[in-house]
Amino acid sequence: MADVSRRVILRLFGASAAVAGAEACSRGPQEYIVPYVNQPPEVTPSVATVYATTMALDGYGVGILATSHEGRPTKLEGNPEHPASLGALGTIEQASLWGLYDPKRAQGIRHGDDPATWSAIADLLARPAQGGKKTFVLLEPTSSPHLVDLVRRVRARGDVFVGFHSPLERRNAWEGARLAFGRVLEPRWDFSRADVVLSLDADFLAATGSPQAWARAWASRRRIESPNGTMSRLYVVEPRVSVTGSNADERLAVQSRQVASVAADVLSQISPRGAPRKESAWPQWVHAVARDLWAHVGTSLVVAGDAQPAVVHAMAHALNEVLGNVGRTVTYAPSPIFEAGEGSHGIEALAAAMDAGDIGLLVVAGGNPVYTAPADVDLEKRIRALPASVYVGSHENETARACSYFVPEAHYLESWGDALAFDGTASIAQPIARPLVADGRTPAQVLAAMLGRRDATSRDLVEEHWQVAPPSKDFASFWRRALVQGVVPGEGTATVD
């Protein structure tokens, strides 16, 4: 190839730039756009509209205000009227908006690798299992009133077992309450009335329960608003640095299995009935905490984390009882989670039924149990050995690949629902956007199909439940108020003595 001089290269660059400029000045083909002539009365372009809805997180309802621009939600904030959010949201709730627009969301119903229809799957769900076997339905833990009603009705078929599984279940907390009280109760902590707080590996400011409400109540006691004002004190025992631990006045770093020993040491120093113990491994720390707690009888609070075993929760309940905190900084009430602490929760019942050959059809609605179940269960192998299995989920994940049928799950921002907050407050979830996935179904619609109602919409199922026993005789006004405020008036769970 002949050598090309620098002068020739510059001429070629100049010519290409001139051609590009001439092309830019030319007129392209004519196109026509359609004006927004049928504008809905509540929609103004570029002006946001805010709607109240509800997200279920680990089964508990969280009140949300969704900002929508022309039919598409763009921002989520906490609902000030809802006790679990009080105007704030955590990272998981904020990130849930992107799940609606995730380009990797599953788009269609399939059987194996072939496209399928909802009618075919609804027929499968409605048929009784053959050969004396049963249908096993695996759901995520729920407090949804209309879903709980459908669970009871599906069980009434006689050939259906409904269980619940979540990798973040509060089984330790429920068993700890059973040890302390003889039944499953959940504590309701009031940090706004606590002068001294002892956290036993409980990251209540970020990771568990209702952190928005707890963080606001705790922060209210950390501000000095007068010359004579005082702040509450926070003691934290934990194996790793958490948000709560980083805000502690005194933090004791121990191994996770040693948290129980610290709790027992504190209890033995405070309770006259505490069992005598050997010398503590942390004598100065334990003595200082016990003395501070004892100096604030009725205004202290001991909380335990969900990751700790049941005995730690039982000791936390005992400490609150001895310190006179019950009825002041902590109260107790039945869990809003359906069948909390019962045998229907956990993966063990499903694994046992699979091994016994009792399952003719497995229906998994929500979650990803093949990924989250313990490795020794080997759930994928067990599912593949079943005659038939249906998975309802948002993505083509490990569970979807193990099951023979797949149905996309509707996002909570595009479907109707309901849920109870940690204190039993009920709220309605209303869709903020039209479904982005045409074949999406909710777990409630799957259960309705098992009852022969394949065409029931999520709104039909929610409205039918609340029309039966609404708190108000005027359903229309009750329904509108519940949707506007995001909270069902007059709902809640009473505390117990």
Side-chain angles (χ1 to χ4, degrees):
M1 179 177 179
D3 293 337
V4 180
S5 67
R6 179 172 176 273
R7 185 184 301 275
V8 172
I9 293 176
L10 291 176
R11 279 203 304 266
L12 292 174
F13 272 125
S16 63
V19 171
E23 178 68 20
C25 296
S26 64
R27 180 182 297 274
Q30 276 193 330
E31 295 181 352
Y32 296 94
I33 60 175
V34 180
Y36 198 172
V37 294
N38 294 321
Q39 177 177 318
E42 71 275 9
V43 174
T44 302
S46 78
V47 177
T49 307
V50 179
Y51 299 92
T53 188
T54 301
M55 174 185 177
L57 184 60
D58 297 331
Y60 299 86
V62 179
I64 289 176
L65 295 182
T67 301
S68 175
H69 285 83
E70 300 178 46
R72 286 289 180 261
T74 55
K75 186 70 173 72
L76 303 181
E77 294 294 346
N79 184 352
E81 303 291 332
H82 197 278
S85 54
L86 298 177
L89 285 185
T91 55
I92 296 177
E93 297 95 317
Q94 292 281 7
S96 67
L97 174 63
W98 305 114
L100 176 67
Y101 300 114
D102 187 354
K104 294 184 178 180
R105 282 183 67 189
Q107 296 295 318
I109 300 174
R110 62 167 177 79
H111 176 204
D113 295 329
D114 301 323
T117 63
W118 170 246
S119 296
I121 293 181
D123 289 339
L124 176 66
L125 294 173
R127 285 198 302 266
Q130 303 297 316
K133 297 186 177 183
K134 292 190 175 182
T135 298
F136 196 110
V137 181
L138 188 65
L139 304 173
E140 295 180 288
T142 183
S143 63
S144 168
H146 88 286
L147 184 60
V148 168
D149 180 57
L150 286 168
V151 168
R152 293 193 175 106
R153 291 163 59 189
V154 165
R155 283 176 174 172
R157 269 181 41 171
D159 64 334
V160 179
F161 182 91
V162 181
F164 306 91
H165 166 71
S166 169
L168 301 177
E169 263 189 334
R170 307 193 64 201
R171 298 177 71 177
N172 291 338
W174 296 333
E175 288 303 314
R178 200 188 302 274
L179 287 175
F181 309 117
R183 57 173 170 159
V184 175
L185 297 173
E186 288 189 359
R188 298 181 185 173
W189 302 323
D190 188 352
F191 292 95
S192 66
R193 304 177 67 179
D195 294 325
V196 178
V197 178
L198 171 60
S199 167
L200 302 172
D201 194 18
D203 190 13
F204 62 85
L205 294 180
T208 60
S210 303
Q212 290 78 37
W214 293 336
R216 176 165 295 191
W218 178 78
S220 69
R221 296 301 313 276
R222 302 290 285 185
R223 292 189 292 266
I224 299 179
E225 298 179 347
S226 66
N228 298 324
T230 59
M231 292 195 311
S232 64
R233 283 183 296 282
L234 174 61
Y235 300 92
V236 175
V237 185
E238 62 182 8
R240 65 192 65 82
V241 178
S242 66
V243 175
T244 304
S246 64
N247 284 277
D249 298 293
E250 296 290 341
R251 176 180 177 272
L252 178 63
V254 299
Q255 297 178 7
S256 182
R257 59 184 175 83
Q258 294 176 315
V259 175
S261 297
V262 177
D265 290 340
V266 175
L267 181 60
S268 66
Q269 292 208 19
I270 290 178
S271 174
R273 299 188 300 272
R277 291 178 54 80
K278 297 179 181 179
E279 183 66 22
S280 172
W282 314 272
Q284 293 183 341
W285 201 91
V286 168
H287 179 70
V289 171
R291 181 178 58 191
D292 205 0
L293 289 171
W294 190 251
H296 293 85
V297 171
T299 60
S300 57
L301 179 60
V302 182
V303 299
D306 291 345
Q308 286 299 310
V311 66
V312 174
H313 290 267
M315 285 191 284
H317 300 319
L319 281 166
N320 283 319
E321 178 67 31
V322 172
L323 292 168
N325 298 330
V326 179
R328 299 179 181 180
T329 60
V330 61
T331 55
Y332 296 95
S335 173
I337 300 299
F338 180 58
E339 294 183 346
E342 301 299 325
S344 57
H345 282 258
I347 206 71
E348 297 83 3
L350 173 59
M354 287 177 167
D355 292 340
D358 294 336
I359 300 179
L361 171 64
L362 172 65
V363 180
V364 181
N368 185 8
V370 169
Y371 180 78
T372 60
D376 57 357
V377 175
D378 199 359
L379 199 58
E380 180 178 3
K381 181 179 179 181
R382 284 183 161 107
I383 290 178
R384 291 186 183 277
L386 295 175
S389 53
V390 178
Y391 175 58
V392 183
S394 58
H395 292 77
E396 293 270 2
N397 52 32
E398 292 81 357
T399 305
R401 290 189 286 271
C403 292
S404 50
Y405 293 87
F406 176 77
V407 179
E409 183 178 14
H411 196 275
Y412 78 93
L413 289 173
E414 58 186 15
S415 58
W416 291 83
D418 52 14
L420 304 183
F422 70 97
D423 66 346
T425 300
S427 53
I428 307 296
Q430 59 178 328
I432 312 303
R434 293 186 65 85
L436 301 181
V437 177
D439 291 325
R441 297 292 190 279
T442 65
Q445 288 177 285
V446 174
L447 295 182
M450 299 180 70
L451 298 171
R453 300 188 58 193
R454 67 178 63 186
D455 296 325
T457 66
S458 59
R459 177 165 187 162
D460 292 338
L461 300 174
V462 175
E463 280 193 345
E464 286 171 7
H465 171 81
W466 287 101
Q467 281 177 335
V468 173
S472 171
K473 293 182 179 180
D474 185 358
F475 178 76
S477 61
F478 153 77
W479 187 248
R480 178 174 178 79
R481 181 181 176 188
L483 296 182
V484 170
Q485 295 184 344
V487 177
V488 175
E491 290 290 301
T493 303
T495 58
V496 297
D497 297 330

